[in-house]
Amino acid sequence: MIKSAADRLRSKFKMSVAELDYQDTWQRSLLGAAAVGSSREVLEQMSNKILLESERILGGDLVDFYFEILEHQ
């Protein structure tokens, strides 16, 4: 299920997605994703869409969602 979810997010949003932790743990995983956007607003909108799609794909199996924007200075 995790590989399928990562593949679907990667394909739909054209971003990097990887399983970061818990590969050897049954029924637990940590996915990480990275995207580049032209502005904070674009990335926030993308984050909302990624969250909705993640909820649709994983349903009640999605436990947490964290989003961070790193800005170039």
Side-chain angles (χ1 to χ4, degrees), residues 59-71:
D61 291 332
L62 179 63
V63 175
D64 194 11
F65 183 88
Y66 173 77
F67 173 69
E68 180 179 2
I69 294 178
L70 302 176
E71 297 186 67

Side-chain angles (χ1 to χ4, degrees), residues 17-66:
V17 179
E19 188 172 1
L20 302 178
D21 205 353
Y22 309 111
Q23 290 92 335
D24 297 328
T25 305
W26 186 63
Q27 292 188 336
R28 184 173 183 182
S29 185
L30 174 65
L31 291 181
V36 177
S38 58
S39 70
R40 174 179 277 282
E41 290 174 350
V42 167
L43 292 171
E44 288 173 350
Q45 290 171 1
M46 179 184 277
S47 171
N48 291 332
K49 290 177 182 176
I50 293 166
L51 173 58
L52 291 173
E53 185 66 13
S54 297
E55 290 173 334
R56 191 181 71 72
I57 294 169
L58 298 170
D61 291 332
L62 179 63
V63 175
D64 194 11
F65 183 88
Y66 173 77

